[in-house]
Amino acid sequence: MEKYEATKTLTEKLVELNGRLIISDDIYKRKLLKEAKHAYVIGHSLDMFSDRDFLSLYYVTKTGDDETVKSKDIGEVVGKIAPPAANYVFLSEKRILNEYKALMTLTPYSIIGDKEEESIRKSFYKTYDSDVREAIASLGIKDFFDLYHAYLHNNEKFNQMFCNDFEKFRNEFLEFSQSRTYDSANETRLEQFDAKFKIEKLNRRLGELGVKFIFPTLKQASWIKKREIESLADMLKNHISPIDKDPLNKEFLRFVFEIPYEDQNLEMNKHMFKNFGNFLDQELIMLKEYSNGKHFKEYFGLLDAGKQKDVSRLVKNAEVQSQDINHFLWMMGSKDIRLDYLKLYKEDAEEFIEYFNERRSEEKKVILKDVMEYDFINDKVTEWLNEHEADLIREVGFDG
């Protein structure tokens, strides 16, 4: 597919999804064209006239016929006459023709720049549309199609790229190699590496990473030189992690937590959330999961204790509260989280008593007041309160 047709194919799809922009600022026009990777004028420039007040009513004469488009909304005018693939429409500066009429020229463009490429990656990550796929390939756009389908089906390609636990492997190997002792010939036993890593598996892992080093098998040798181990250690120290090799990998890593839940692979997300957390905004992900109530519980258990506390504090102040997750956090040890205490009072006396005990004095008074006014009596709670909080009950009753 020629680049002109490929550009139009993709911008037409983008217009369907996102609409088009009407640009009148000359500085912004120049910036768009300068930074564009593909930019074409499509169709014909059209003259647009405004009537008496120059603002509210527009007439556009179509090229090649006598029809006109008339509307008080410039967006409606452009929508009716711009080619479907015009994701940008440039307006010339208004020129006054006479006391009744002003003129602007409308020029439709099909433009693909960084913003459009990002939109293409995020919009067509799973489409098999042959025209879209051919257009993306023709323009050399790096997209998520192969990555997404590898991720979705958890295949070997994706495992090699994202799921090889490179950092963990590197640290484990370096720590083990540094603990080796060497004889007078500066050699150490190869069987020690086989016992720890298994030679065949170790060589396969190094091959996947592109590290040019092969351990001899136990049939080939019994010892390995210190300088060889140190050389491999240096290779691993300087090796670029698979996720760092291409910015697209990092972008995709964040992207999979944003796509619709039905398109996600939860098990893969959990693996990446746990092992590549330093590339993710985990707190933002958790706040979104808290609001949607989908995978919060699965991800929470993958966080370290410090991050769990941070997330608990964050969701405590969320605008919309999820009582189901709040209860989960309470059971996980976040005792400062707020629960639906009347629900506890009615359904679980022991949990209500535990929750009540964790509250400050002023909070206890509010809870007691609500319990006293509640149209349900939990005898077990009432008995416990009378035995342990008699003074507070009198104080609340007196205040009431």
Side-chain angles (χ1 to χ4, degrees):
M1 185 182 291
E2 293 181 350
K3 290 186 177 181
Y4 174 70
E5 290 300 328
T7 301
K8 290 203 306 177
T9 296
L10 293 175
T11 56
E12 183 172 347
K13 295 289 185 181
L14 291 177
V15 170
E16 292 174 4
L17 292 171
N18 307 319
R20 58 172 54 89
L21 288 178
I22 303 170
I23 310 296
S24 59
D25 182 85
D26 288 336
I27 295 176
Y28 189 26
K29 293 176 193 174
R30 289 194 292 271
K31 183 176 186 295
L32 280 171
L33 293 176
K34 181 180 179 181
E35 296 178 356
K37 297 181 178 179
H38 309 278
Y40 300 95
V41 176
I42 55 175
H44 301 278
S45 294
L46 300 172
D47 290 334
M48 183 163 61
F49 299 94
S50 63
D51 72 346
R52 294 175 183 274
D53 58 12
F54 306 138
L55 294 173
S56 62
L57 191 61
Y58 295 89
Y59 299 87
V60 178
T61 303
K62 288 187 175 182
T63 302
D65 58 41
D66 296 329
E67 295 183 22
T68 61
V69 177
K70 176 180 176 182
S71 175
K72 292 184 178 181
D73 181 355
I74 190 171
E76 184 179 352
V77 172
V78 171
K80 287 181 178 179
I81 56 88
N87 57 334
Y88 288 90
V89 173
F90 289 3
L91 296 182
S92 67
E93 185 177 352
K94 186 182 296 182
R95 301 191 299 279
I96 306 300
L97 300 180
N98 55 47
E99 61 181 309
Y100 300 107
K101 187 174 291 187
L103 169 69
M104 287 185 287
T105 300
L106 178 154
T107 307
Y109 275 87
S110 176
I111 296 176
I112 291 180
D114 288 338
K115 179 169 71 73
E116 286 71 36
E117 285 195 350
E118 180 181 359
S119 183
I120 288 166
R121 281 194 290 275
K122 293 186 174 182
S123 300
F124 308 127
Y125 60 92
K126 64 176 183 176
T127 184
Y128 284 95
D129 185 309
S130 58
D131 289 338
V132 170
R133 300 256 49 88
E134 185 180 356
I136 290 173
S138 298
L139 298 182
I141 297 173
K142 291 186 175 182
D143 72 341
F144 292 149
F145 182 80
D146 289 337
L147 276 175
Y148 173 72
H149 288 283
Y151 151 87
L152 187 65
H153 301 294
N154 191 16
N155 70 15
E156 184 177 352
K157 177 181 177 180
F158 192 80
N159 287 332
Q160 291 177 2
M161 186 167 294
F162 283 101
C163 303
N164 52 29
D165 298 337
F166 170 69
E167 298 294 339
K168 180 181 177 183
F169 166 71
R170 172 165 58 188
N171 293 336
E172 188 177 35
F173 181 86
L174 292 177
E175 182 180 346
F176 183 77
S177 64
Q178 289 165 3
S179 69
R180 296 307 88 210
T181 57
Y182 297 88
D183 63 14
S184 58
N186 272 334
E187 292 182 330
T188 190
R189 287 189 175 278
L190 191 60
E191 64 183 18
Q192 295 174 330
F193 287 89
D194 187 67
K196 175 68 175 177
F197 299 103
K198 301 301 178 188
I199 296 297
E200 290 184 4
K201 184 177 179 182
L202 182 57
N203 283 336
R204 188 163 56 249
R205 173 64 64 88
L206 293 172
E208 290 173 355
L209 295 172
V211 176
K212 295 181 179 180
F213 188 98
I214 299 176
F215 276 88
T217 66
L218 292 178
K219 292 181 180 179
Q220 295 171 327
S222 299
W223 299 81
I224 188 167
K225 293 285 186 182
K226 180 180 181 180
R227 66 173 180 272
E228 294 181 85
I229 299 301
E230 290 178 339
S231 175
L232 175 55
D234 287 339
M235 290 182 192
L236 290 175
K237 286 176 184 177
N238 297 319
H239 188 72
I240 298 175
S241 155
I243 201 169
D244 279 321
K245 283 185 177 179
D246 189 337
L248 198 68
N249 294 343
K250 291 182 184 179
E251 188 180 346
F252 181 78
L253 180 63
R254 301 182 184 106
F255 170 70
V256 294
F257 290 92
E258 301 171 1
I259 60 180
Y261 286 106
E262 59 269 23
D263 291 346
Q264 294 184 19
N265 180 333
L266 177 58
E267 291 307 310
M268 294 307 305
N269 279 17
K270 287 164 64 176
H271 178 93
M272 292 187 290
F273 191 84
K274 179 179 180 180
N275 294 290
F276 298 102
N278 55 315
F279 295 105
L280 298 168
D281 188 339
Q282 290 178 318
E283 292 184 357
L284 178 59
I285 291 173
M286 294 304 292
L287 186 59
K288 289 181 177 178
E289 294 296 332
Y290 178 83
S291 302
N292 292 318
K294 298 289 185 180
H295 304 318
F296 183 96
K297 297 176 183 179
E298 289 91 337
Y299 295 154
F300 188 81
L302 304 175
L303 296 169
D304 60 40
K307 274 287 181 67
Q308 287 184 348
K309 289 181 180 179
D310 292 340
V311 168
S312 295
R313 284 194 294 268
L314 185 67
V315 302
K316 179 182 177 181
N317 298 312
E319 184 176 348
V320 178
Q321 291 290 303
S322 168
Q323 285 300 318
D324 175 60
I325 295 178
N326 282 358
H327 188 263
F328 165 79
L329 290 172
W330 165 265
M331 298 301 291
M332 292 290 289
S334 301
K335 299 305 182 182
D336 61 338
I337 210 80
R338 295 186 179 279
L339 300 183
D340 183 348
Y341 50 80
L342 288 179
K343 186 172 185 295
L344 288 181
Y345 172 75
K346 184 175 183 179
E347 298 178 1
D348 195 321
E350 291 183 1
E351 274 202 46
F352 173 86
I353 292 169
E354 182 184 357
Y355 180 77
F356 185 84
N357 265 334
E358 295 287 340
R359 303 300 98 187
R360 297 188 299 273
S361 177
E362 290 305 313
E363 289 182 278
K364 286 183 176 181
K365 291 178 184 179
V366 173
I367 294 172
L368 274 178
K369 183 175 184 299
D370 287 344
V371 165
M372 289 176 177
E373 294 175 353
Y374 196 36
D375 59 0
F376 174 84
I377 296 176
N378 187 316
D379 293 332
K380 188 173 182 179
V381 173
T382 300
E383 181 180 349
W384 184 89
L385 288 172
N386 286 331
E387 182 178 350
H388 295 88
E389 298 287 356
D391 291 341
L392 198 61
I393 290 174
R394 282 192 292 271
E395 184 179 346
V396 171
F398 179 78
D399 288 344

